[in-house]
Amino acid sequence: MRSLQSEIEQRGTRIFELVNQHPESLFSRAGFYQRMMALSMRDEQFKAQLFRFVDVLPSLHRSGEIVEHLEEYFADLRDGFAPLVHTGVRLARIVPWVSGRVLRWNISGMARQFIAGKNPHDVMKALRKRRGQKIGFTVDLLGEAVVSETETDEYAARCLDLLETLARETRGWTDPLGRNSELFPVVNLSVKISALYSQINPADPANAIAHLAPKLRPILRRARELGAFINFDMESYAHKNTTLELFKKIFTEEEFKDWPHAGIVIQAYLRDSEADLRDLIDWGRARGTRFAVRLVKGAYWDYETIKSRQNGWDCPVYFQKPESDVNFETLTRILFENGSIVTGAFGSHNVRSIAHAQALADELGIDPSRFEFQLLYGMAGPIKGALVEMGYRVREYCPVGELLPGMSYLVRRLLENTSNEGFLRAKFAENVSEQELLRDPCELLRKSRNGVLPRSNNATTNAMKDRHPSHSRSLDTPPGDTYENAPLTNFVHQENQDKMRKALSEMRTRLGKEYPLVINGEKVFTGKTIASINPSSPDDVVGAVAEAGIAEAERAVRAARDAFEKWRWTPFEERAQLLERAAAIIERRRFELSALEVFEVGKPWTEADGDIREAIDFCLFYAQQMRRIGRPRLTQNVPGEESYYHYWPRGVAFVVAPWNFPLAILGGMMTAALVTGNTVIMKPAEQSAVCGAMLMEILEEAGVPPGVLNYLPGKGSVMGAHLVDHKDVDLIAFTGSREVGLRIWESAGITRPGQRELKRVICEMGGKNAVIIDSDADLDEAIVDCTYSAFGYQGQKCSALSRLILLQENYDRVMERLLKAAASVRVGNPEEPGVTVGPVIDETAYNRILNYIEIGKSEATLAYQREDVPPKGFFIPPTIFTNVKPNMRIAREEIFGPVISVLKVRDLDEAIAVANGTDYALTAGFFSRSPANIERAKAQIEAGNVYINRSCTGAVVGRHPFGGFKMSGGGTKAGGADYLLQFLVPRVVTENVTRHGFAPEETPQYRDEFLWPTAR
Ligand SMILES: Cc1cc2nc3c(=O)[nH]c(=O)nc-3n(C[C@H](O)[C@H](O)[C@H](O)COP(=O)(O)OP(=O)(O)OC[C@H]3O[C@@H](n4cnc5c(N)ncnc54)[C@H](O)[C@@H]3O)c2cc1C
């Protein structure tokens, strides 16, 4: 008996023979597309620019715009085809109308290559043609990313319409193989789950399923009546578990339990895929009705690797291509071995993967008519033909839709076709030998493990493998490059959802406790307390903290002053280690602290987790930074003299924090002060005083010496003001409102009798952040990101979007989608996973924001206000005002709530002028696909943090050092390389080391000896 490998080779060779009888290059059509692909494979820069250009083109309406973009995208290209492009651009300038049309026509041609038709009627032409070639179909409706429930309803309606048309138009069509045809209905529809609910949140699959199931049932019902098959496509990893759960749930329902014409996709590039497939098969057996699985490798490899790297998550996909190939073969076997309950469909263009399935089916005695091969429309035509000729069942995946929504699909296909790792490129563009293409992927893996194969030339793979070792301590590399952030919690995993639920229920039992002040290491109760309440349920007291008055403030200053004398001489390495121990404790208590934030400040799950992550990052980043700047460093290499630049701490720091990032901001300012050798009096906001107490507990457990950190909640106007003015307080680190910040700034400028130092004020205040949406922006992204930037955490981030500036050219298009998106965001108690908008912090904020809404109603037009907010708790309805003018109060004053003021402008000049025409300069955003406009926004928008094509909230320590200027703050950058310098005084010691004309030849780069004198 021949081995499986030789069977595979034999079948593979046969496929190649048949393919070679109908030679076709990689792409079915020659011409423009062909040339573009060839250039893309030669030059990565061209490829990136081409794909971006393809992406923006459908949103360009005027020929002049097309020509401008063409120039912007391709003008800087280096070599090869640069002259070609330049000639094109010159020509286009002369006859823009003609050139714009020609380009659009050509790019549309590229899209038409992969899109089978514009609408259900249109697609029938392609399907009939395939029928003649004995190729079946599954149809997929292309759509924009849905951003609202109105859009999901439209998608569902289109699915129903498509089903009707297909059923009507294919009446009388029969199965091409004529055997086992009951397993393979003619009409086959592929649906995308994410297009049926706009608020899918990985943390809350139950909510998603509750919304998805009612949308799906009518489609399934109708499909069943029409004898059609429904397949659930698989999208990004974030949606995977929800899609699987939904599939199992809905097809276990009485109505669909015995319906065999349902299928789902399994992606072999996922490490979880074998477990998922086995679980599905167990489910299928328990259900007792046949179902189908389309096995693919997976279309989101780049996205998954980038996303997981950005968030510090374990990457869900394999890093090496042969790993995905091996897994595809493993899963093929599992499918065949369970053929009694599951029908396999193999979605691949890779002849090795296909030949393996054929050979294995033979080995296991499976009739070829009991499974099928599926291939994409517009790709690998000769392979389809070969498979039909060999007697296999072939189905083509046919996308239907307009050009604009089709762009992301087109870009995915272009990526796939030009991928260095892909089979199609190897076979059809690079003519890799057949023998090579049919090699056993296990063998390739073994070789790669032994280092025989060259490393992948995929930049992302290499970057994944080259991750810096944790929290690298190199002193010579720029800090942003060496710091690796703490990961966010990935709530896609059920285990994390369970941990959070458990933490919430445990925290609930601990609410209402009392917490003392901590002064000089002693716990102090004062007889007076501040109650911290749950903003979702104001009758619930989260905890009560002792309230400090003037007397306690005086004690705290003395304690901090005394402790300073020792702490300042403590080696910075010890201080850095204290922060690292604190980070480890926060990590250990991560879910507990997140749960506390949900109750105390109304943070949704992911926001709370983000705050915890940031607190950890501040500890670790500042520890690393202190090591970087702590050692006295030689200023210049001059013979005969040594000068060392170094830093001393300032003294006693008074840290005053807001409630909106209760651990991160308080912890960030406090740890920066500690690690630099200052002692600290830490005043949390009254509304988040329990979080502050936790932070104190954490630092105590980490080993902070008595007096070095003192915990002092109390009234800002009383003990806070007293400490700001205190002669023994050397530094004030404040984050909060402009009003209080300016008062501190002014008061700290007065020198009091007995004061040693000029007080240093580190001041972070508010913002009136603007986002501009350019006329060519990707609205799928812009709407989602703007909605989140404005309404996420109820608009209570200093970085939140508050002024949305729209160009008149796309005003209507944006507003139409924005209003619907606002109507779709989830508002509710943040104990529920997946809620976006919870309650605002307290009654004062509630009344203030409502007051601003009234002002808005009198100044501008109320375009939207949500109605269904919970009656109890401080819930403010997400609100949007239009017809806002720059001088109106709602366009100038910080509201700090879920309210957007929309300003319409003529053009980008006016947009930038309006964005900059505010007292503040904290964050700003710009959505555009014009490289020239992007550069302009980078250069001209006045804000401390300017974000392009992404949300304007969510700064990450080290990556996005955060803070503004003008009335937003003193230009400090929390989480940046310069931040610690503000907590320090620089000092230089210079020694003449020449004795009678002789000086040592070498001067050390660093000298530590005098930092920690032994005689103290
Ligand atoms: C009919 C059909 C339906 C499809 N439906 C879906 C769907 O619902 N969901 C979905 O996600 N995809 C779907 N796909 C797309 C499919 O995932 C890709 O077309 C497929 O991955 C290309 O694989 P291949 O076997 O044809 O080519 P190959 O060239 O053999 O494989 C390319 C694939 O290998 C994987 N890969 C590339 N580089 C690496 C690496 N460094 N490490 C590990 N793996 C790597 C990627 O998955 C890449 O797409 C479908 C494809 C077809 C044909």
Side-chain angles (χ1 to χ4, degrees), residues 400-446:
V400 184
E402 293 290 338
L403 182 61
L404 176 64
M407 273 307 129
S408 63
Y409 179 81
L410 173 62
V411 171
R412 274 210 302 282
R413 295 290 78 85
L414 296 183
L415 267 174
E416 200 170 303
N417 280 334
T418 53
S419 156
N420 289 329
E421 312 264 358
F423 175 88
L424 287 178
R425 173 173 175 165
K427 159 73 184 144
F428 294 101
E430 294 178 346
N431 294 321
V432 173
S433 75
E434 289 172 5
Q435 191 193 5
E436 195 63 29
L437 293 170
L438 293 174
R439 283 253 291 270
D440 183 351
C442 288
E443 195 192 312
L444 288 169
L445 259 191
R446 268 194 302 277

Side-chain angles (χ1 to χ4, degrees), residues 703-829:
V704 69
V708 169
L709 176 63
N710 303 279
Y711 170 64
L712 213 69
K715 289 216 163 60
S717 54
V718 183
M719 82 70 172
H722 182 75
L723 284 174
V724 166
D725 294 346
H726 204 289
K727 70 176 175 52
D728 283 330
V729 168
D730 304 288
L731 179 155
I732 300 146
F734 168 81
T735 306
S737 71
R738 170 177 173 179
E739 184 197 349
V740 178
L742 292 184
R743 226 182 294 139
I744 292 177
W745 193 270
E746 188 182 338
S747 179
I750 302 170
T751 310
R752 269 102 190 161
Q755 185 171 326
R756 291 175 202 76
E757 294 277 347
L758 296 178
K759 279 186 210 276
R760 179 62 173 248
V761 180
I762 299 157
C763 199
E764 300 283 340
M765 301 182 293
K768 189 72 191 167
N769 310 306
V771 169
I772 302 171
I773 302 186
D774 202 357
S775 55
D776 66 349
D778 180 342
L779 295 191
D780 286 358
E781 272 179 8
I783 301 287
V784 172
D785 288 348
C786 288
T787 313
Y788 194 78
S789 299
F791 300 144
Y793 190 39
Q794 303 75 277
Q796 299 177 114
K797 302 178 192 176
C798 34
S799 53
L801 157 62
S802 142
R803 293 178 301 146
L804 182 62
I805 302 176
L806 302 180
L807 272 58
Q808 63 189 18
E809 195 174 337
N810 61 349
Y811 181 87
D812 292 339
R813 264 177 289 145
V814 175
M815 285 310 297
E816 192 199 339
R817 296 189 78 190
L818 179 74
L819 296 181
K820 288 174 185 161
S824 305
V825 291
R826 280 184 73 192
V827 183
N829 188 325

Side-chain angles (χ1 to χ4, degrees), residues 234 267 297-299 319-321 324 348-350 416 423:
M234 196 59 85
Q267 297 156 314
K297 282 170 201 155
F319 291 145
Q320 296 190 58
K321 166 75 165 58
S324 297
S348 175
H349 305 128
N350 184 325
E416 200 170 303
F423 175 88

Side-chain angles (χ1 to χ4, degrees), residues 475 572 626-634 644-647 1005-1008 1010-1012:
L475 295 174
F572 63 76
M626 193 60 215
R627 290 190 179 99
R628 192 177 67 87
I629 61 171
R631 303 181 71 188
R633 184 194 274 261
L634 188 67
Y644 286 94
Y645 195 100
H646 64 287
Y647 300 99
Q1005 187 70 13
Y1006 296 99
R1007 267 201 193 285
D1008 301 333
F1010 67 87
L1011 263 196
W1012 306 298

Side-chain angles (χ1 to χ4, degrees), residues 185 312 346 351 406 440 452 481 508 523 534 580 644 665 672 675 713 770 801 879 946 973:
F346 303 96
V351 174
D440 183 351
V452 178
D481 281 353
R508 190 171 272 294
K523 313 253 176 290
N534 179 350
E580 284 164 349
Y644 286 94
I665 297 185
V675 81
L801 157 62
T879 303
V946 178
K973 280 286 183 199

